[in-house]
Amino acid sequence: MKRLLLTVLTVLLMSISTAWAASLEDGEAAYQRGDYATALRVFRPLAAQGNAKAQTFLGGMYGIGQGVKKDYGESVRWSRLAAAQGYAPAQYHLGLAYQSGNGVKQDDAEAAKWFRLAAAQGEADAQIKLGWAYFNGQGVTQDYVEAL
């Protein structure tokens, strides 16, 4: 009887904590309406659990200073975690960081590497950046055909 009661209590507590946990969609909705405090409260635990999209949102928020003090180092840290999982928007953001030198040493070749990874997954902005890199010979050998 005690075991049954303990099992029922455990299931109830787990369902209550799940109901209280905010979802990624809740964080995105808060972000879209400019409620950055709520967005951060939702994204931080998800990002810590390895959610690439939440990590990318945090990276962007630190890079712009939305709801937090602008911190390029934190921006790159979160973007790098998501990019390592193959998440194209984070790879693009990491390329931007290397292109601009925000949070990392400016490095056109490294920027092109991250743009290439994101572009290969269909990330349109990364495709444009990579095209311009080839057009201008920034971090890659200038190649007008490849730029197209």
Side-chain angles (χ1 to χ4, degrees):
M1 184 67 173
K2 284 183 180 180
R3 181 170 283 196
L4 177 62
L5 184 59
L6 183 59
T7 301
V8 169
L9 189 57
T10 301
V11 169
L12 283 172
L13 287 174
M14 286 173 53
S15 65
I16 290 171
S17 66
T18 301
W20 284 339
S23 70
L24 182 64
E25 292 77 22
D26 295 331
E28 289 181 78
Y31 181 87
Q32 293 302 324
R33 68 177 178 268
D35 182 359
Y36 302 126
T38 298
L40 282 168
R41 192 169 55 252
V42 172
F43 291 146
R44 277 193 175 123
L46 293 171
Q49 292 168 12
N51 183 296
K53 193 169 187 180
Q55 291 169 337
T56 303
F57 266 105
L58 275 184
M61 292 173 79
Y62 275 105
I64 299 171
Q66 292 173 313
V68 293
K69 184 178 179 190
K70 187 183 289 188
D71 184 333
Y72 292 129
E74 275 297 289
S75 177
V76 168
R77 183 174 82 84
W78 287 112
S79 294
R80 190 179 305 282
L81 288 170
Q85 295 181 63
Y87 190 59
Q91 292 170 334
Y92 169 69
H93 288 168
L94 203 50
L96 289 176
Y98 278 104
Q99 186 179 54
S100 66
N102 288 335
V104 293
K105 184 177 187 259
Q106 195 276 335
D107 184 336
D108 288 334
E110 191 70 11
K113 172 188 130 180
W114 289 107
F115 289 147
R116 185 176 294 107
L117 288 169
Q121 295 183 64
E123 186 73 23
D125 290 336
Q127 292 169 343
I128 292 167
K129 288 288 191 177
L130 186 59
W132 277 111
Y134 276 108
F135 184 82
N136 294 309
Q138 292 176 303
V140 295
T141 302
Q142 189 173 42
D143 184 333
Y144 297 124
V145 174
E146 193 66 29
L148 290 173

